[in-house]
Amino acid sequence: QVQLVESGGGLVQAGGSLRLSCAASGIRFSIDAMGWYRQAPGKQRELVAAKTSGGSTNYADSVKGRFTISRDNAKNTVHLQMNSLKPEDTAVYYCNTRTMGWPTRDYWGQGTQVTVSS
């Protein structure tokens, strides 16, 4: 059974920091990318940051310089350090893993709420 267990969301004041963590288990295929997406009310889900097994990273322009993604390939864990948080960062954050090969398979966590107050 595939499980992506997220932790670390919460309420923080603008300018504060939070660290999200995600641990993936039960995935039979090799994992390529692990990352975080977010969805604010009334908006589409968007990529926040992702990191491939080879170490390449991709960040949304809105979080560059403030968020840092890290992962442990051996443990299938991924973390998102979020600094200098802004009210517009408020959203449900979802952990995502994408497998190697074809077809690729996407797995999602249940989501964790991040609320940034002004």
Side-chain angles (χ1 to χ4, degrees), residues 6-12 18-21 82 93 112-115:
E6 300 154 340
S7 61
L11 172 64
V12 65
L18 283 174
R19 179 178 170 86
L20 304 182
S21 295
M82 304 186 294
Y93 285 68
T112 185
Q113 178 70 46
V114 170
T115 302

Side-chain angles (χ1 to χ4, degrees), residues 41-57:
K43 295 188 176 181
Q44 289 189 331
R45 190 174 296 189
E46 63 174 358
L47 173 69
V48 177
K51 190 167 188 175
T52 68
S53 57
S56 298
T57 57

Side-chain angles (χ1 to χ4, degrees), residues 33-94:
M34 296 188 76
W36 294 90
Y37 288 69
R38 67 186 180 187
Q39 188 166 19
K43 295 188 176 181
Q44 289 189 331
R45 190 174 296 189
E46 63 174 358
L47 173 69
V48 177
K51 190 167 188 175
T52 68
S53 57
S56 298
T57 57
N58 187 21
Y59 290 94
D61 288 342
S62 60
V63 307
K64 285 179 181 177
R66 301 187 297 121
F67 291 9
T68 303
I69 189 169
S70 60
R71 66 181 278 188
D72 185 326
N73 292 343
K75 296 181 178 179
N76 285 342
T77 57
V78 64
H79 309 279
L80 186 68
Q81 178 65 42
M82 304 186 294
N83 298 328
S84 302
L85 282 160
K86 304 176 180 180
E88 51 263 43
D89 294 318
T90 296
V92 178
Y93 285 68
Y94 296 90

Side-chain angles (χ1 to χ4, degrees), residues 18-31:
L18 283 174
R19 179 178 170 86
L20 304 182
S21 295
C22 174
S25 62
I27 298 176
R28 295 170 51 197
F29 303 93
S30 296
I31 295 175

